[in-house]
Amino acid sequence: MYAEFDLHVPADMDAALAALAENGARGPIMPIAGGTNMIVDLRARSVSPRALVSIAKVPGMRGIEIDDARVRMGGRTTVSDLLRHPELGQIAPSLVESARLFAGQMVRNTATVAGNICSGSPAADLVPPLLALDAEVTLASRSASRSLALADFFQGYKQMQRRPDELMIEVSFPRPSANATNSFYKLARRKGDAITVVGVAVAMRVEGDACHDVRIALGSVAPVVLRASGAEATLEGQPASAERIEAAARAAMEAVSPIDDIRASADYRSHCVHVLTRRLLTEARAQLAREGAGA
Amino acid sequence: MKDAKIIRLTVNGREREVGALPNETLLESLRGLGYFEVKSGCEKGDCGACAVLLDGEAVDSCLLLTWTVEGASITTVSGLGSVDEPHPLHKAFIDRGAAQCGYCTPGLIIAAKSMFDNDTREPSEDDMRLALSGNLCRCTGYTKVFDAIDEAARIMRERG
């Protein structure tokens, strides 16, 4: 590779955070996990770090832990790790579906959940389901660690809350309750190894007739992956009637600001946000009704 | 210019050392060591021609920095078998005519091997399509590739 940089491969977390703390006037030092975006960006010279800090040899950062309250993924957990977990498909089908449709096998075996988030791309496939699952991210630096809602992490196109000296060490979300559902749909030009045209994730639970904790997240249709809060409010506390679902889908469409590009026009993306949001909400209602009837 | 470092790797069961600069990729290191079966294609993680097994999982060697895989075990398509003792995947690719120009073949076989070892030994067509979603072949149209993987899977299951 022609791009030149220095590389640190620390053997533990303390050394990794110390290396990142050297960030300063001499040029940026950036963390690298799977590197499936970073190496491409380095080759294209769209990033030019002075040094990279690889977390490949930092122990204890890869794995998924599930207890009664939360699902926790270490900062180096790969996309394939999501697919191979025996329980995750039941708990978070939206996240597993997005992992299944993520790039190609070799990239899934290498790319990390945290890296997908930190790429900051509006087309990052794991982000809509993670937003719909109300995920939280944990950032560590040499001086402190902090957790914040994923929804607050993104500030603008490829603008995020991560400071240069911070490393994303964990991504977690509350374990959905039994009367809850979550789903994801990726619309792309091909089924495999394709960049998303529109990604929609939906999560909600029902109590009696009413929907609660409705979360709708939309990918590839704005500078950041969006929560469609207007659409969520249309359904929150209400019965999921066909009219309400249609109103929510329309509100989701009104929340987006897509662009024309080589993959699709802005108009087509808006239209598909409407259609796919309605479809996922309708399916969620049907699934919860079936499960409610079976209980 | 940064300094090179000696990196130790096990490649196809053999201990190897390579002097690598910080920006050297595993693809460059492997070809530098003479493993020319590892092909350079897109160098973006789209085509899968450079796929190798890294500690048993298929990865694109063009997207990994050599320093970050120090001490790892690498298997290339040549490490799966030999002309005298081909792997069932090797044999099925030949028998089924699944290779045409051959450039993508090493990566396809590595991706299929990783699927057998990590995901499923009884792949459906959907499983195969998922496993091969990061491999581009511009000759075969994939049909014979899927036939070959299906046959290799059957032979491997029969062997137990």
Side-chain angles (χ1 to χ4, degrees):
Chain A
M1 190 176 354
Y2 294 117
E4 282 194 24
F5 46 83
D6 205 353
L7 177 62
H8 304 282
V9 191
D12 59 48
M13 179 72 80
D14 286 349
L17 297 179
L20 284 172
E22 297 297 314
N23 255 298
R26 288 199 298 132
I29 300 175
M30 300 173 80
I32 178 170
T36 55
N37 276 320
M38 178 66 83
I39 301 293
V40 176
D41 289 346
L42 288 166
R43 279 209 181 89
R45 315 236 173 184
S46 56
V47 294
S48 303
R50 168 163 62 96
L52 293 174
V53 180
S54 166
I55 58 165
K57 301 292 185 191
V58 175
M61 287 193 75
R62 185 174 175 184
I64 302 167
E65 283 177 27
I66 302 178
D67 62 26
D68 291 345
R70 290 191 85 77
V71 175
R72 298 170 192 280
M73 296 160 281
R76 206 166 63 75
T77 303
T78 67
V79 178
S80 288
D81 290 340
L82 304 178
L83 292 175
R84 291 173 190 150
H85 192 279
E87 285 176 87
L88 197 61
Q90 283 290 316
I91 295 168
S94 56
L95 184 60
V96 171
E97 174 70 356
S98 71
R100 203 174 68 79
L101 300 171
F102 190 107
Q105 185 198 176
M106 281 69 79
V107 170
R108 290 192 294 273
N109 286 343
T110 315
T112 63
V113 178
N116 191 234
I117 293 170
C118 291
S119 75
S121 166
D125 274 330
L126 305 182
V127 173
L130 286 169
L131 279 174
L133 290 163
D134 203 21
E136 196 175 274
V137 296
T138 303
L139 300 163
S141 70
R142 200 164 54 163
S143 51
S145 84
R146 59 182 176 133
S147 294
L148 67 158
L150 182 59
D152 296 332
F153 182 69
F154 300 107
Q155 297 171 302
Y157 180 69
K158 300 207 171 182
Q159 298 295 307
M160 285 151 281
Q161 288 266 9
R162 190 184 72 81
R163 292 196 316 263
D165 65 334
E166 285 181 314
L167 185 65
M168 187 172 286
I169 57 166
E170 189 178 271
V171 180
S172 74
F173 56 87
R175 185 177 181 141
S177 61
N179 56 343
T181 176
N182 63 89
S183 56
F184 174 69
Y185 191 94
K186 170 171 171 164
L187 179 71
R189 300 286 299 257
R190 299 179 300 275
K191 284 183 184 166
D193 206 5
I195 294 177
T196 299
V197 169
V198 174
V200 180
V202 161
M204 64 162 147
R205 71 183 168 85
V206 285
E207 227 174 82
D209 266 351
C211 307
H212 293 285
D213 300 334
V214 181
R215 286 184 295 269
I216 300 168
L218 308 169
S220 292
V221 288
V224 295
V225 182
L226 280 187
R227 279 276 299 273
S229 46
E232 295 169 359
T234 304
L235 278 173
E236 188 66 37
Q238 302 292 329
S241 63
E243 295 73 22
R244 286 269 169 198
I245 286 176
E246 170 61 23
R250 201 163 277 283
M253 181 178 68
E254 281 159 11
V256 303
S257 49
I259 56 167
D260 292 310
D261 69 9
I262 53 164
R263 284 175 283 278
S265 67
D267 284 349
Y268 178 71
R269 285 187 158 98
S270 288
H271 175 69
C272 289
V273 166
H274 182 194
V275 170
L276 294 174
T277 304
R278 184 174 58 203
R279 184 184 302 173
L280 290 188
L281 288 170
T282 305
E283 286 171 2
R285 176 184 62 176
Q287 189 195 332
L288 289 167
R290 275 196 308 276
E291 286 171 7
Chain B
M1 202 59 170
K2 312 286 183 187
D3 290 334
K5 196 161 86 172
I6 300 294
I7 300 294
R8 288 171 302 104
L9 298 168
T10 304
V11 186
N12 297 337
R14 213 177 128 200
E15 302 282 331
R16 300 301 304 255
E17 285 186 349
V18 59
L21 291 165
N23 64 353
E24 184 163 319
T25 62
L26 180 60
L27 168 64
E28 292 162 341
S29 298
L30 289 171
R31 288 186 63 86
L33 287 169
Y35 298 97
F36 298 124
E37 68 273 28
V38 185
K39 303 299 183 192
S40 175
C42 69
E43 293 196 284
K44 284 181 171 183
D46 286 328
C47 78
C50 67
V52 297
L53 298 177
L54 170 72
D55 295 327
E57 279 184 284
V59 298
D60 286 325
S61 61
C62 74
L63 296 180
L64 287 165
L65 297 170
T66 302
W67 285 19
T68 68
V69 296
E70 159 117 61
S73 174
I74 310 290
T75 306
T76 74
V77 72
S78 305
L80 298 180
S82 63
V83 173
D84 294 332
E85 287 183 73
H87 188 276
L89 278 164
H90 291 150
K91 187 160 185 319
F93 265 67
I94 296 165
D95 292 347
R96 293 289 180 151
Q100 287 188 26
C101 89
Y103 203 82
C104 69
T105 311
L108 283 168
I109 290 178
I110 287 292
K113 172 76 166 117
S114 182
M115 172 186 70
F116 289 153
D117 293 348
N118 299 299
D119 298 312
T120 176
R121 288 174 64 87
E122 295 184 48
S124 65
E125 187 174 330
D126 272 358
D127 293 330
M128 289 192 274
R129 286 182 182 275
L130 182 68
L132 267 51
S133 51
N135 298 82
L136 294 180
C137 172
R138 303 292 82 168
C139 308
T140 63
Y142 303 99
T143 302
K144 292 182 176 187
V145 173
F146 293 135
D147 290 348
I149 295 170
D150 199 41
E151 178 164 298
R154 186 174 51 72
I155 290 167
M156 288 168 69
R157 284 199 305 273
E158 282 167 10
R159 285 187 187 175

